[in-house]
């Protein structure tokens, strides 16, 4: 009988001990703070950053100088503008959801190796995200997931104008501006429901001929003196826009020579933001933009 | 010429060794061929999927080619657990592969980016609308109770708005006190797509929306009221 009593006491103590160990060493699970999956932002650490360069000769390093220039003000101003991401011939529009996927990462607590995280959201401004020394504005272009419904929605024009202003004002005055959207065969960046042919498909001929988005971008870039990192995460942005941008202003660019699937573009956007905030040097930055299992073939130019 | 004993030993030995070597080589080459074929097929659908969003002509060609791939559905189900998950989901939506529904429903409760819910939503048709509506409703209740990601809640709300599902007032209130302005906006957006919503319910949420700290929600409340954006 005694033996059973001692065994029960030992078991209870063991359970208490295990319980203590679990709660002591396991991270607490809090409702409403589901961590984002690691699909779009790797935890791979950079081998060399502007922070880790040896102090004695870092002034000579192109990496250090590039980040000194970028972080010249007390606050780094960043903009991410999602274009109108319709998927014609389907009616689905995805940028509203993609922005929310991105926000999930931005407001999550940081883990080692990650920098595009730990932001606090402004209570009165839904698009503004802040963390020490960084001010980030993230906008989307569509008001709903259905292109046909959006075209009749009185708020659609307002939302399109808001995201376009975030992009163009950013090009004018911010330090880093990313566009994640359609290239419209050279007619983008585009923040509004697309112009359609009578057969209800995107009128690519009109976009190629008129290039409305590019014209606005180039007009805003004209005479720009301040440094800017302009990331265009859209299909073949390098072929469509790079030559004209380089003629217009001396800005650093991130562009791709290939077609972007939306998950590749989202991943590239997050990885680029992560690398910039972590002040990653050239080789690591390119590895982040072009992960081995990725596809985008993005390129950072004229920054380092 | 050696002894018969030696002959009888050496000949079969070398023959046997040759057979063994040949067999190993054959198996190795066969495995290599299978791997190459599988890899070729995998990259074939991946490459075709990337062409879907290019132009209308590319889209048509890619979809036609995807339809011809034998055993594609099984490959896509496998790919749902790998790095090509998002491309697989795109093909499932595009080709309306309803055979993948059971696997998608299995994976949905762990989907924090909402991509699986979007694919499920694209597979809705008159034959499964009722059951999927019930599932989406249940998932929204669970997502709200378990504090799942905002994007999941917004996608579920948007889909139920499309179904014109009547949602409980308490659930709408719970969602409307969310710290995420996008979730609050989605509640008003849901109401804006409900032609049969009770006017007093809409009025209550319009009043709440007009007091919201963010312009995103206030603008939607004004639009719901019928005022200028």
């Amino acid at each position: 009988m005694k033996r059973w009593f001692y065994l029960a006491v030992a078991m209870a103590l063991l359970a208490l001990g295990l319980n203590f160990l679990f709660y002591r060493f396991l991270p607490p699970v809090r409702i409403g703070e589901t961590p984002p999956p690691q699909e779009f932002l790797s935890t791979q650490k950079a081998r060399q950053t502007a922070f880790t360069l040896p102090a004695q000769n870092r002034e000579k390093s192109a990496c250090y100088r590039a980040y000194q220039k970028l972080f010249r003000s007390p606050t780094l101003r960043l903009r991410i503008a999602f274009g109108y991401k319709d998927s014609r011939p389907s009616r689905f529009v995805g940028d509203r959801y993609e922005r929310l996927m991105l926000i999930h990462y931005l407001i999550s607590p940081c883990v080692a190796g990650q920098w595009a995280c730990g932001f606090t959201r402004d209570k009165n401004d839904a698009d503004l995200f802040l963390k020490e020394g960084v001010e980030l504005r993230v906008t989307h272009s569509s008001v709903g997931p259905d292109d046909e419904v959006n075209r009749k929605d009185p708020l659609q024009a307002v939302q399109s104008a808001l995201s376009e202003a975030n992009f163009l004002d950013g090009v004018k005055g911010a330090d880093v501006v990313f566009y994640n959207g359609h290239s419209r065969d050279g007619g983008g960046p585009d923040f509004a429901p697309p112009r359609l042919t009578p057969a209800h498909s995107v009128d690519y001929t009109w976009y190629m001929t008129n290039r409305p988005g590019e014209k606005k971008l180039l007009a805003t870039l004209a005479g720009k003196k301040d440094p800017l990192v302009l990331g265009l995460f859209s299909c073949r942005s390098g072929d469509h826009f790079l030559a004209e941008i380089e003629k217009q202003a001396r800005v650093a660019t991130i562009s791709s020579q290939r077609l972007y699937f939306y998950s590749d573009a989202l991943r590239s956007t997050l990885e680029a933001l992560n690398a910039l905030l972590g002040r990653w040097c050239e080789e690591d930055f390119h590895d982040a933009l072009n992960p081995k299992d990725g596809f985008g073939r993005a390129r950072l130019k004229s920054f380092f | 010429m050696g002894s018969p004993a030696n002959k009888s030993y050496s000949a079969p030995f070398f023959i046997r060794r040759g057979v063994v070597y040949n067999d190993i080589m054959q198996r190795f080459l066969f495995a290599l061929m299978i791997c190459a074929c599988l890899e070729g097929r995998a990259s074939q659908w991946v490459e075709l999927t990337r062409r879907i969003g290019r132009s209308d002509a590319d889209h048509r060609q890619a979809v036609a080619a995807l339809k011809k791939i034998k055993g594609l559905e099984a490959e896509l189900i496998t790919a749902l657990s790998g790095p090509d998950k998002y491309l697989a989901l795109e093909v499932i939506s595009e080709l309306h592969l309803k055979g993948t529904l059971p696997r998608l429903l299995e994976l949905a409760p762990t989907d924090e980016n909402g991509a699986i819910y979007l694919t499920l939503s694209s597979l809705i048709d008159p034959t499964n609308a009722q059951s999927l509506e019930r599932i989406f409703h249940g998932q929204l209740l669970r997502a709200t109770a378990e504090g799942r990601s905002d994007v999941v809640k917004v996608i579920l709300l948007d889909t139920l708005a499309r179904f014109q599902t009547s949602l409980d007032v308490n659930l709408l209130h719970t969602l409307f006190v969310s710290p995420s302005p996008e979730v609050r906006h989605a509640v008003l957006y849901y109401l804006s797509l409900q032609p049969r919503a009770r006017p007093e319910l809409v009025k209550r949420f319009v009043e709440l929306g007009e007091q919201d700290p963010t312009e995103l929600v206030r603008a939607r409340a004004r639009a719901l009221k019928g005022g200028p954006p």
Side-chain angles (χ1 to χ4, degrees):
Chain A
M1 196 67 191
K2 245 181 189 176
R3 210 172 55 188
W4 285 110
F5 173 74
Y6 288 132
L7 195 66
V9 170
M11 290 296 279
L13 284 172
L14 187 72
L16 269 170
L18 282 174
N19 192 38
F20 169 76
L21 281 174
F22 270 110
Y23 282 96
R24 175 71 181 80
F25 297 111
L26 285 181
V29 177
R30 281 170 288 190
I31 281 177
E33 284 186 19
T34 332
Q38 296 297 327
E39 287 161 347
F40 296 132
L41 184 58
S42 63
T43 48
Q44 193 183 328
K45 286 179 191 165
R47 283 153 291 181
Q48 197 172 52
T49 73
F51 293 124
T52 57
L53 287 166
Q56 60 270 27
N57 51 7
R58 69 183 180 191
E59 302 289 339
K60 289 179 196 159
S61 149
C63 174
Y64 185 78
R65 284 203 306 265
Y67 284 107
Q68 283 291 94
K69 205 160 86 176
L70 184 68
F71 287 83
R72 65 196 177 282
S73 317
T75 305
L76 182 76
R77 291 153 303 166
L78 294 134
R79 305 285 179 101
I80 300 176
F82 280 91
Y84 191 88
K85 296 186 86 170
D86 58 283
S87 46
R88 289 264 158 194
S90 148
R91 287 163 58 164
F92 177 71
V93 191
D95 55 274
R96 187 163 145 260
Y97 299 138
E98 287 177 38
R99 173 178 169 271
L100 262 176
M101 289 179 194
L102 182 107
I103 289 173
H104 194 186
Y105 289 85
L106 296 179
I107 61 174
S108 293
C110 292
V111 295
Q114 287 185 350
W115 296 83
C117 49
F119 280 88
T120 310
R121 200 165 190 181
D122 190 280
K123 275 184 185 161
N124 300 321
D125 188 339
D127 300 328
L128 187 61
F129 298 84
L130 303 160
K131 74 179 201 177
E132 203 183 337
V134 186
E135 181 193 290
L136 169 63
R137 187 167 284 281
V138 189
T139 53
H140 60 105
S141 292
S142 62
V143 285
D146 186 335
D147 188 42
E148 299 291 329
V149 177
N150 291 350
R151 284 168 190 271
K152 294 174 200 145
D153 193 320
L155 282 179
Q156 183 52 62
V158 180
Q159 192 61 42
S160 293
L162 182 86
S163 200
E164 188 174 50
N166 182 35
F167 178 70
L168 293 175
D169 291 350
V171 170
K172 220 182 279 177
D175 305 301
V176 179
V177 180
F178 289 169
Y179 168 72
N180 183 319
H182 285 314
S183 283
R184 303 262 189 249
D185 261 355
D190 193 16
F191 302 90
R195 191 186 163 99
L196 302 177
T197 62
H200 294 278
S201 51
V202 178
D203 193 348
Y204 284 109
T205 316
W206 183 84
Y207 280 106
M208 278 192 280
T209 317
N210 293 285
R211 304 179 78 85
E214 190 197 44
K215 277 180 188 165
K216 284 182 192 171
L217 169 62
L218 296 177
T220 314
L221 273 174
K224 182 155 178 76
K225 295 266 177 359
D226 297 329
L228 169 74
V229 180
L230 178 63
L232 297 171
F233 300 93
S234 60
C235 288
R236 292 172 56 212
S237 54
D239 293 340
H240 289 310
F241 310 114
L242 206 56
E244 292 302 315
I245 289 171
E246 283 172 346
K247 274 186 214 164
Q248 199 71 312
R250 209 179 136 69
V251 293
T253 52
I254 301 172
S255 61
S256 172
Q257 304 295 330
R258 302 201 53 180
L259 293 168
Y260 258 134
F261 189 63
Y262 87 94
S263 54
D264 299 323
L266 193 61
R267 185 173 175 182
S268 261
T269 307
L270 257 165
E271 294 283 9
L273 180 68
N274 196 51
L276 273 176
L277 293 177
R279 304 188 195 197
W280 291 17
C281 291
E282 191 164 7
E283 206 180 320
D284 288 311
F285 204 120
H286 276 107
D287 286 352
L289 284 176
N290 303 295
K292 286 185 186 93
D293 56 340
F295 188 76
R297 290 227 184 130
R299 189 176 165 209
L300 173 68
K301 215 178 154 193
S302 312
F303 180 66
F304 292 110
Chain B
M1 290 284 282
S3 68
N6 276 352
K7 265 184 202 167
S8 67
Y9 172 77
S10 56
F13 172 76
F14 281 109
I15 290 165
R16 201 166 40 227
R17 200 167 66 165
V19 167
V20 170
Y21 281 172
N22 279 344
D23 192 41
I24 289 171
M25 281 306 285
Q26 272 175 6
R27 277 165 198 250
F28 177 69
L29 284 171
F30 185 63
L32 215 70
M33 272 163 59
I34 286 181
C35 287
C37 288
L38 286 173
E39 182 60 30
R41 280 177 67 190
S43 58
Q44 189 189 355
W45 75 259
V46 166
E47 199 56 44
L48 286 167
T49 312
R50 289 184 189 281
R51 281 172 50 193
I52 281 178
R54 238 158 117 179
S55 67
D56 288 354
D58 276 326
H59 180 273
R60 274 193 302 273
Q61 280 171 9
V63 168
L66 281 166
K67 278 180 182 168
K68 281 181 195 160
I69 298 177
K70 279 182 188 162
L72 179 64
E73 203 168 283
E75 267 187 57
L76 294 174
I77 288 173
T78 312
L80 286 174
S81 312
D84 290 325
K85 169 185 159 184
Y86 294 94
L87 290 164
L89 290 171
E90 177 78 10
V91 183
I92 291 168
S93 286
E94 198 61 50
L95 303 187
H96 210 77
L97 299 173
K98 285 196 288 180
T100 58
L101 264 169
R103 181 64 184 145
L104 290 173
L105 289 170
E106 250 173 48
L107 291 170
T110 55
D111 172 28
E112 286 306 316
N113 275 333
I116 290 172
Y117 287 108
L118 286 175
T119 308
L120 280 169
S121 170
S122 74
L123 297 178
I124 295 166
D125 65 20
T127 62
N128 59 25
Q130 243 181 351
S131 61
L132 280 178
E133 182 186 1
R134 217 174 29 247
I135 289 167
F136 269 72
H137 194 179
Q139 291 280 317
L140 179 62
L141 288 167
R142 280 189 66 180
T144 311
E146 292 169 6
R148 290 188 61 193
S149 72
D150 296 329
V151 66
V152 166
K153 287 178 209 154
V154 171
I155 290 169
L156 290 168
L157 258 172
D158 284 355
T159 312
L160 291 168
R162 210 175 99 204
F163 275 123
Q164 303 204 342
T165 310
S166 178
L167 293 177
D168 182 64
V169 185
N170 288 329
L171 174 64
L172 292 175
H173 268 290
T174 308
L175 287 164
F176 204 78
V177 293
S178 160
S180 162
E182 286 81 13
V183 175
R184 302 198 296 273
H185 174 271
V187 171
L188 297 182
Y189 187 70
Y190 159 83
L191 287 170
S192 74
L193 296 178
Q194 302 304 302
R196 287 171 295 166
R198 284 175 288 137
E200 68 273 14
L201 180 73
V202 175
K203 196 180 163 208
R204 195 190 310 170
F205 277 96
V206 164
E207 280 168 9
L208 287 170
E210 282 178 326
Q211 291 160 22
D212 198 87
T214 64
E215 177 56 22
L216 175 80
V217 180
R218 289 198 301 269
R220 178 53 71 192
R222 287 197 297 274
L224 191 54
K225 202 178 170 185

